[in-house]
Amino acid sequence: MKNDLKYVGKSIPIHDVKEKVSGKLKYAADMQLPGMLHGKLLLSSVAHGRIKKIDVSKAEALEGVVKIFTHENSPNTLYNSHKWFVGMEITKDERLFTDHVKFVGDRIAAVVAKDRFTAERAVNLIEIGYEELSVVVDPEEAINLEDYYIGQKKIESGSVHDVFSKASIIIEDSVETPKIHHAAMETHVCVASPGIHGDVTVWTPCQVVFQVRLIVAEVLGMPLNKVRAIKASMGGSFGGKGQPVLEPVCAFLAKAMNAPVKLQMDRTESIIGTRTRTATRGTIKTAVSEDGTILGRDIHMLVDTGAYYTNGDAVTMAMAKKAFRLYKIKDQRFVGDVVYTNTPIGGACRGYGSPQIHVLSEINMDNVARRLGMDPAELRLRNLVHPFDKDPINGPDLGNARAIDCVTEGMKVFDWKQKRLRPKTSGRIVRGVGMACATHGNGYHGGYQDFITMSLRMTEDGGVFLNSGIHDLGCGTVMTMKQIVAEVLDVEIDKILAPEGDTLVSPFDVAGTQASRVTFVCGSCAMKVAEQVKEKFIGCASKILQCSPEEVVMEAGEVWSSTSETVKYSYGKMITDIQSKFQDDISVSYTYTSPANPGVYAANFVEVEVDTLTGLVKVLDVLAVHDIGKAINPGFVEGQVQGAIQMGIGFALSEEIKVDRNGKISGDKFSKYHVINAPSMPDVKVLLIEEGEEHGPFGAKSIGEISTCAIAPAIVNAINAALDINITSLPVTPEKIIKALHEK
Amino acid sequence: MMNEMNFKMPASLNELALNLDNADEKTYLISGGTDLIIKLREKKIYSGTIIDLKGIQELNYIRQIEQTICIGANTTFTEMIHSEILIKNAPCLVQAAEQIGSTQIRNAATIGGNIANAFAGADAIPALIAMGVKVKMMNAKGEFFLKDIDEVVIGSGKNSLHKDEVITEVIAPVLGHGYKSFFGKVGSRERVTIAKLNMAVVVKNNHETGVIEDARVVLGSLGPKAFRSDLVEIELVGKYITDSLQTEFEKALITQIDISIAGRSSRPYKREAVKALSEDAFSNLFGSPAWRCNNEK
Amino acid sequence: MELIINVNDIEYKLDVNPRMRLLDVLRENLGLTGAKEGCGEGECGACTIIMDGLAINSCMVLAHQARGKKIITVEALEQDGEMDRLQEAFINNGAVQCGYCTPGMLMSCKALLMNNPNPTDEEIKIAIEGNLCRCTGYIKIVRAVKEAIQNQ
């Protein structure tokens, strides 16, 4: 590894920034195709019921309406949109259109019309006769109902029973987390167009093009080769566009109409009718010694996956695994029960279970510290994992786990001890500090298949073409890959072309932008394929330069022999000469399989101000410390963290898709679902621990998901410490604070 | 079929009167647009007549004529915030305008529209009631008439205007020497938030005697529409400004909330949050009072 | 119904249904897709344009209401191939991630600087209080606006 890096470690703007600031970049909603029709979904207005009658006559009579589709005239293939590779076995319970609605927001029909206004208007004219069925929204109720109970996941290391039977100090907490909307500014949207060969092309802001291809093919009964999925410009996802929601519907409409169709959701539809962060109710018991050593821990999570299965068990397992990778706990048990409810569907959401498990464990850690009279940061330092520790449940090794560094460095920079011991104010406005830690992963190794193929070619004019199925979600994936390739080949960034996923032309990638695998796994593949191209290039160049490969120097787009520095070739000239002399192409296609899945670690420190009369909380200051290994692009890393903090503050304080007893949803638009806006956003300082990770490109690890895992519990801990209360139900609304102060 | 909506663009009040002549249940007046456009969609309104008031330049002004302030119905909240006349004479109205929606909303939304929309949590309405404004209206015959704001706003999204009537102006009295005013609100976040509770206060304080001679206290978001609270006002009138008055004021506000939303789940929160408004009102109107000295802030 | 509208200094004569919003006309009739629809209720600001010098949600105004007004959209920020200093600052400060809020954010900031060339941090935040962003946490956006002010 080079010590002085030229491209890696530099803050370079996202690859399409100029098109974005000029408004030129076309997102799927901006696409126009000749003869394009417009689809609009009809979503259920009742939470549970059978559809007895659908009357589309009035809607069909509306001028401009082309056709209306319901369960009566569409495929009834069962599928699970969570399935992302062919060999995955999973419960299938979703259909394009249902006759048995299971939540307010379930898909009943789609209108196809000549323009979207007509489509929207026609949807309102469809008359549905429901036979309403009993509604279950409470997971505690669901757990006892056969139709609603899905199953249990259980992991144990050592023996919890033994530890708890002997322990004298046990601290127990119950914590609730709500359903959350991803709130990407772009609502869900898809465009599909049929081809003349019985094929269909789907443009979608998605996270996994090969998953889109798979789900569309499965639902429509088509061969994979007849479906082309193209990743469209992404207006934000955060997991919300991970599972295909509109894609199979839109592809079906396009095929059925034999015309291009655009299908777009409005904000309310995106909030209720796509995916949400899975809601949880957790209980945790921690046995500790007087000196603050965790002796054992027993966790139970009740996981509400909503109306469809999707990733209910996978997200539960993800939560489980994290519980064993942050603190050294020999005896620990995780039991997760997964249930259906008649509420919006759970799915992937930035952190994938980590924010939920960490809210539970980190609020509890503070209560342990309170009980022992310890500094909560010191309590964590006593128990955090050390670099190169093993996973107690035989998961992948933790790697260069720098959790302790995150806390110790953070304490210094935040001035934690002094701020924490500052005398409490007794006036209306009260301040407090809190902190929390978190861990997350780097891909699927140890859980699922994790490999990606990339091909890289050096062009005749000194350019580089990196062909791969990557997806830039706005996080800078394309530029990250370019920086890695540029570093290996010492070529200018602008000379590298790195298009995004298109199943027709991209080499296969098994898992897409999921599981915090992109920098760690895909980035490693980019590095390896570039290294192999470099080796091939040097091998050929050495023959032309008549020297040994070791004597070939590649620098800033030029190549020469160290024995004859006066004769320098541009990369392009050398490629051309290699072509004419050896009839060979300097390109490599390489499949990289991830060999590891180390942990990433974070510690967040926050200061809050609470108005004890209104219960309004203002987050004043955030310090986010991250064990990143190596930041390929520090500007992107900082941007990821700052955005993740915004999301986490909302999770802690205001965001919630509320569902009442009857399954009716409130918080279904931005005027009622408050994401944090600019005046409420604190300054966020980002401190990176860059100690390198063996299998990461240039030592890099993930950041996109870990960055939102520690902030919510840190805020809750700060509020609880400031007010000497113990709120454990998110979001911590003003009403909850006032109630807690009253009950104090 | 998509062209069932008619659109009228009167450029003057005379033209507007003509447009109003045929007004019926399907006639919609639009000014800033921030409420009506949402309504068109939510209520699935596809046909009728929209009359756009925004092109009537003569409805856009803030002027002081001797002891009255006249605000044209098309005046936006942004214009109100920057009006020297209002800053000097109607601080509560400026404070309310500043806290409405976002910058973009304040740039578009108008005083006339806010009154006509009669939303229970509207921020301008409590301030207007506290100011004791009259609303000037015009009918299809071009006749003008005045009503108290309280008569115009029915609440819960309803107003008392007939279909052929339009709000043209808001007339506020210049409050005169010794008067002060305040508006405050509690929402679910700091900025861009719908009021859970809002309050406007207008008081006249006799500087020589130190006694409050007039008090109007208007509470919003406690029912279909904002209202003056007699029982709170009584606590203030004839009193000296002291620490204990603030306590009595707060107690009266809590009593008012207990009466207004008895049995509602929002009551426990609002009776606490109103203390914040009480405190803010007092410090805003009467300066940093002595009762704060006990705190270690 | 005929609509004559001035967008980015070009006068257009269009046939527009009275129910169409300015946003619809910009995007669908004029192909100016920089302004986005993120909520349709004036909460997210992705559709922000400048109308007669003020930032406006183009989803909250009917197209016909924009007759006779001067509309500026993000597409006109770049003049003669030269980017506006706000655009440059957004690029230099990493204020852009997914980019969906960016056009609206830029127009809110542009309107701010047109009316107040030297805003405080507080004023910048209030200018964009109606522009939601899920990617950046606003921090680099505010930083970019401050840099643009300094580069005037």
Side-chain angles (χ1 to χ4, degrees), chain A residues 21-82:
Chain A
V21 297
S22 58
K24 286 177 191 152
L25 188 73
K26 296 286 179 196
Y27 296 81
D30 306 332
M31 284 177 68
Q32 293 291 346
L33 296 177
M36 188 166 80
L37 300 172
H38 295 262
K40 180 79 182 172
L41 296 175
L42 172 66
L43 303 182
S44 174
S45 58
V46 307
H48 193 199
R50 290 203 179 273
I51 292 175
K52 288 292 164 196
K53 197 192 84 184
I54 304 182
D55 184 353
V56 298
S57 55
K58 282 186 196 147
E60 268 177 348
L62 193 67
E63 190 188 322
V65 171
V66 185
K67 194 157 173 136
I68 294 167
F69 293 93
T70 68
H71 71 95
E72 289 167 352
N73 57 352
S74 63
N76 64 355
T77 322
L78 284 170
Y79 63 99
N80 185 328
S81 59
H82 169 60

Side-chain angles (χ1 to χ4, degrees), chain A residues 62 117-118 120-121 124 266 424 426-428 613-614 616 618 669 674-675 677 679 734-735 738 742, chain B residues 1-2 4 41-42 44 46 187-193 196 269 272-273 275-276 279-280 295-296:
Chain A
L62 193 67
F117 306 102
T118 305
E120 184 182 309
R121 189 172 173 183
N124 297 325
D266 61 23
K424 277 194 184 164
S426 60
R428 169 175 162 187
L613 294 182
T614 62
L616 283 165
K618 189 165 175 59
K669 45 188 171 182
H674 276 177
V675 304
N677 57 12
E735 284 81 358
I738 294 304
H742 266 269
Chain B
M1 189 149 197
M2 292 301 287
E4 300 161 345
R41 179 151 184 233
E42 280 183 353
K44 308 176 187 15
Y46 296 95
S188 54
R189 64 180 167 189
E190 195 183 340
R191 300 279 311 172
V192 197
T193 182
K196 290 176 182 174
Y269 175 73
E272 199 63 30
K275 294 180 190 168
E279 190 176 313
D280 293 346
N295 297 344
E296 293 166 33

Side-chain angles (χ1 to χ4, degrees), chain A residues 109-417:
Chain A
V111 172
V112 182
K114 288 186 172 150
D115 64 85
R116 73 186 166 90
F117 306 102
T118 305
E120 184 182 309
R121 189 172 173 183
V123 158
N124 297 325
L125 296 173
I126 299 175
E127 290 170 11
I128 303 293
Y130 297 99
E131 175 199 336
E132 294 202 34
L133 302 170
S134 61
V135 173
V136 177
V137 299
D138 181 358
E140 312 270 1
E141 185 187 345
I143 198 169
N144 296 314
L145 300 171
E146 199 186 329
D147 286 350
Y148 288 82
Y149 184 65
I150 289 177
Q152 192 172 74
K153 297 281 172 189
K154 186 172 167 182
I155 303 178
E156 184 163 4
S157 69
S159 169
V160 171
H161 180 264
D162 292 354
V163 171
F164 277 82
S165 60
K166 284 181 244 153
S168 57
I169 310 174
I170 296 169
I171 291 92
E172 181 173 348
D173 282 296
S174 295
V175 175
E176 267 183 84
T177 68
K179 285 185 193 286
I180 294 284
H181 172 50
H182 305 79
M185 286 304 112
E186 175 194 48
T187 56
H188 282 63
V189 56
C190 184
V191 175
S193 181
I196 56 169
H197 307 292
D199 55 320
V200 65
T201 301
V202 180
W203 290 265
T204 167
C206 65
Q207 296 188 199
V208 194
V209 280
F210 289 98
Q211 180 178 7
V212 171
R213 182 178 71 163
L214 170 61
I215 296 293
V216 170
E218 221 178 77
V219 175
L220 302 186
M222 295 170 71
L224 293 175
N225 275 343
K226 292 280 187 195
V227 180
R228 178 180 183 185
I230 300 174
K231 191 246 163 206
S233 299
M234 170 62 82
S237 181
F238 315 102
K241 291 169 187 151
Q243 296 177 5
V245 175
L246 295 182
E247 293 90 335
V249 182
C250 192
F252 163 68
L253 298 176
K255 287 275 287 173
M257 300 313 307
N258 198 28
V261 174
K262 185 193 284 181
L263 184 59
Q264 188 168 13
M265 284 178 147
D266 61 23
R267 178 57 57 186
T268 295
E269 291 167 328
S270 258
I271 293 178
I272 68 169
T274 63
R275 298 291 178 268
T276 64
R277 183 185 295 293
T278 313
T280 64
R281 295 197 190 175
T283 55
I284 184 166
K285 283 183 228 173
T286 304
V288 281
S289 66
E290 292 284 356
D291 69 357
T293 306
I294 300 175
L295 303 173
R297 205 160 70 166
D298 198 3
I299 297 173
H300 181 262
M301 267 290 195
L302 178 53
V303 177
D304 175 3
T305 192
Y308 291 95
Y309 196 96
T310 71
N311 63 345
D313 57 355
V315 80
T316 308
M317 277 308 283
M319 290 177 202
K321 289 177 179 177
K322 305 303 176 295
F324 293 84
R325 291 169 71 88
L326 181 58
Y327 300 108
K328 263 185 197 296
I329 304 171
K330 200 164 79 48
D331 300 283
Q332 179 166 220
R333 177 168 63 187
F334 176 98
V335 178
D337 284 301
V338 189
V339 295
Y340 287 119
T341 54
N342 297 115
T343 65
I345 309 168
C349 184
R350 195 180 208 170
Y352 209 88
S354 273
Q356 294 98 314
I357 190 75
H358 287 112
V359 165
L360 177 66
S361 68
E362 292 303 287
I363 290 176
N364 177 247
M365 283 297 276
D366 262 46
N367 284 330
V368 171
R370 231 200 275 201
R371 166 75 180 275
L372 298 175
M374 268 182 91
D375 177 339
E378 296 288 350
L379 172 72
R380 286 172 173 88
L381 284 174
R382 185 173 287 273
N383 293 286
L384 282 167
V385 294
H386 290 206
F388 309 106
D389 276 357
K390 301 288 179 205
D391 183 307
I393 50 170
N394 300 317
D397 291 352
L398 305 188
N400 195 3
R402 294 288 173 164
I404 291 171
D405 297 22
C406 288
V407 175
T408 50
E409 290 304 307
M411 286 170 76
K412 270 185 252 165
V413 173
F414 189 77
D415 201 5
W416 167 257
K417 283 199 180 281

